[in-house]
């Protein structure tokens, strides 16, 4: 399946993402999930970014938290709400908000 | 053009999930899609009318009314809403009141479903 | 498009949020959805419990006695009574050491269905077979 | 006998933190202590009157009224409540409406403070 | 300080408890925190119980979740709401809900 | 008991819940509490940010532009303007690689106070010195 997963937290209390399988996996970082796109802990990027997936981060939610696009990891594409709509309809078929 | 149904359980103020859902709905409309919005659990607090718009707090009334005007179908879970003491007469006009099968029926006709269940 | 198959996946423990309860009550609503659909159209949700969500399936929940609210157990019994498929992840039950005798059933209410203990693979397959997935 | 102030931010239904706070307040009363209850954030939804008591949902109206009758001082954060569209006329009688300094003043006179800030 | 910490979650998104210091520390398991009192993962009790603290678990919250007192770890004392009030006033002076 | 000292400890990131914002607004209320107290009585909260809570202190938050709500940054500036002591944990800032130039200040508004970067030890000492601790 082509699955887009929305991650909205910095710390997750569920391990669902670790075992979800999808032929095509997209991870959309929104809300406090955007910290994964930029924040380094002890010099290391979020382990989330090591997953074999396409990564997107919502620009509005970055800006809300004082993070500039220049701080975003190169593996993550900065998108806006309109882009998220296109991802939903054109790139993926099922959506999961974990 | 497709049909997107969004279901939300998160509270009006606090988590910002509801702000996200409202903005996503609007963006989908602007791209020409049809949007349905199902409110259940704590998200039913969104339908209370006369929310005072204080800058410190997210407000849902204005964006919700704008979505309704643009043809988004919005429905609140009747039991969840009444349990919170919000009556139909207290609610924003144009919001539908129904049981959970409303959401399943909308999902049935949808191309995409984004269910925001997490708190 | 006569039937729309859905996978409801509960991944959080009960009582901390309404998610597990609302997952069950939304799934049960499949029973009455036909009044809003065309003749012959149906919606079939499967209820899957994974991760800490499996804790919702422990029996003898006394929520009515302690807090005056319907227990998640009662909701699960209702789901079985209306013939929903309810799957619980075998690996997660084993991780917590929860044996099958500790799991909710609705035998006393005459339900034909039981909660089915299945490997995660089966739940993954349910998500793949479904048109939409809903996480709780 | 002592004074206990409890502050809560959690929503009426869902987390059960508010159920906990109400039961703890009652237990403290029964032991002869004085109790103050401060509601802010999503906990302000507790003060809405006419909550329909459905068995599937926590209900706060009855236990809150019982606490008020037993002399517990209960105050809701005015701004937080109005932002959710709940007016004074919609609220359970006997609940005080005030700003956040009410809570600080009660804390000042308290022997113990349990602040339930987590969601 | 004499500090009673209320733990109401099975999975915590904060690490505050790991570094809080108190001469006398009590940990009161309530809500979904009660799972720490009984649940074993891969045969192991919750690491929380290894802390140098006194442990209490709220009986009403155990029962709500289908857990019987006999399943509670021997390090944890089962208490009711009235007992929690006494702990608050008699055993501890500051309270933290994490 | 002329003064009651309180430690407000923010341990969660902003925007996911109202906790950090409400911590700040509740602390600011110390300014007006005297109208409810006897002559000479005061309440003095200290605002401490630890763990993921330190993320609330990053400047240039555009919440008003993006979502039409007051940013946590604005609330923090108000806290500095009313002379609250605001401490942020040095170890946590270092863990995230957040340098002091990225931290909110209210210099442009003429505040005398600044957010003070302190070791966790100092925050622990604040909790010990306080009559009550409130976690957000």
């Amino acid at each position: 399946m082509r699955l887009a997963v929305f991650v909205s937290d910095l710390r997750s209390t569920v391990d669902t993402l670790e075992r979800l399988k999808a032929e095509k996996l997209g991870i959309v970082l929104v809300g406090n999930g955007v910290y994964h796109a930029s924040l380094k802990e002890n010099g290391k990027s979020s382990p989330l970014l090591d997953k074999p997936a396409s990564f997107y981060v919502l620009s509005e939610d970055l800006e809300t938290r004082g993070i500039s696009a220049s701080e975003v990891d190169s593996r993550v594409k900065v998108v806006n709400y309109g882009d998220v709509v296109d991802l939903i309809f054109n790139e993926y078929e099922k959506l999961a908000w974990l | 053009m497709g049909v997107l149904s969004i279901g939300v359980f998160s509270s009006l103020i606090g988590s910002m999930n509801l702000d996200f859902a409202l903005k996503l709905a609007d963006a989908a409309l602007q791209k020409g899609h049809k949007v349905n919005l199902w409110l259940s659990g704590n998200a039913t607090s969104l339908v209370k009318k006369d929310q005072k718009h204080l800058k410190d707090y997210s407000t849902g009334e204005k964006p919700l009314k704008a979505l309704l005007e643009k043809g988004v179908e919005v429905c609140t879970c009747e039991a969840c809403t009444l349990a919170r003491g919000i009556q139909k007469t207290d609610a924003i006009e144009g919001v539908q009141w129904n049981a959970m099968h409303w959401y399943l029926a909308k999902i049935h006709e949808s191309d995409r479903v984004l269910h925001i269940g997490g708190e | 498009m006569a039937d729309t198959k859905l996978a409801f996946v509960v991944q959080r423990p009960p009582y901390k949020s309404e998610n597990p309860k609302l997952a069950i009550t939304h799934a049960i609503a499949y029973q009455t959805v036909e009044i809003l659909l065309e003749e012959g159209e149906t919606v079939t949700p499967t209820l899957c419990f994974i991760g800490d969500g499996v804790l919702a399936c422990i029996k003898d929940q006394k929520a009515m006695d302690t807090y005056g609210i319907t227990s998640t157990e009662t909701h699960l019994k209702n789901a079985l009574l209306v013939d929903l498929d309810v799957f619980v992840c075998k690996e997660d039950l084993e991780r917590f050491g929860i044996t099958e005798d500790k799991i909710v059933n609705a035998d006393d209410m005459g339900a034909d269905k039981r909660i089915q203990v299945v490997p995660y693979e089966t739940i993954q397959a349910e998500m793949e077979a479904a048109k939409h997935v809903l996480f709780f």
Side-chain angles (χ1 to χ4, degrees), chain B residues 38 77 98-105, chain C residues 6 8 21-37 42-45 47 78-79 82 84:
Chain B
W38 168 249
C77 173
N98 209 326
M100 294 170 184
H101 54 219
W102 185 93
Y103 185 36
L104 296 187
Chain C
L6 305 177
F8 280 33
K21 176 188 81 179
L22 291 175
I24 304 168
T25 52
H26 279 71
I28 289 172
Y30 94 102
Q31 256 215 317
T32 50
V33 69
E34 65 191 41
I35 59 173
L36 299 172
L37 300 179
T42 53
V43 177
T44 310
L47 253 175
N78 291 338
V82 300
L84 277 172

Side-chain angles (χ1 to χ4, degrees), chain A residues 1 3 9 13-16 19-23 93-98, chain C residues 11-12 50-52 89 92 95 120-121 124 127-131 133 135:
Chain A
M1 58 184 166
L3 178 71
D9 278 322
T13 57
V14 298
D15 61 357
T16 311
R19 45 188 174 173
L20 260 180
K21 280 165 252 159
E23 284 83 54
E93 50 184 9
K94 297 180 197 175
L95 313 172
W97 182 287
L98 296 186
Chain C
Q11 45 178 354
R12 291 185 169 82
I50 64 171
D52 297 341
C89 179
D92 290 317
R95 178 163 57 93
Y120 176 74
E121 290 281 287
Q124 170 78 27
M127 291 191 259
E128 283 169 16
K131 185 174 178 205
V133 291
F135 285 81

Side-chain angles (χ1 to χ4, degrees), chain C residues 68-131:
Chain C
I69 56 167
T70 312
S71 70
T72 308
E73 177 173 19
T74 302
H75 288 295
L76 272 172
K77 288 185 174 195
N78 291 338
L80 294 169
L81 277 172
V82 300
D83 285 326
L84 277 172
D85 274 321
V86 183
F87 293 133
V88 59
C89 179
K90 186 174 178 291
E91 291 88 338
D92 290 317
L93 285 180
E94 285 173 358
R95 178 163 57 93
F96 289 127
I98 301 171
T99 47
E100 289 209 31
D101 59 298
K102 285 193 185 161
I103 291 177
V104 169
N105 69 65
D107 296 355
D108 58 325
M109 299 162 85
D112 293 323
K113 291 261 176 166
R114 291 195 132 220
I115 294 179
Q116 299 161 65
V117 178
V118 298
Y120 176 74
E121 290 281 287
T122 304
I123 292 168
Q124 170 78 27
E126 283 295 319
M127 291 191 259
E128 283 169 16
K131 185 174 178 205

Side-chain angles (χ1 to χ4, degrees), chain A residues 25-41:
Chain A
L25 180 65
I27 295 180
V28 190
L29 303 169
V30 299
N32 278 354
V34 305
Y35 290 119
H36 290 288
S38 67
L39 210 62
K40 289 188 170 63
E41 281 195 71

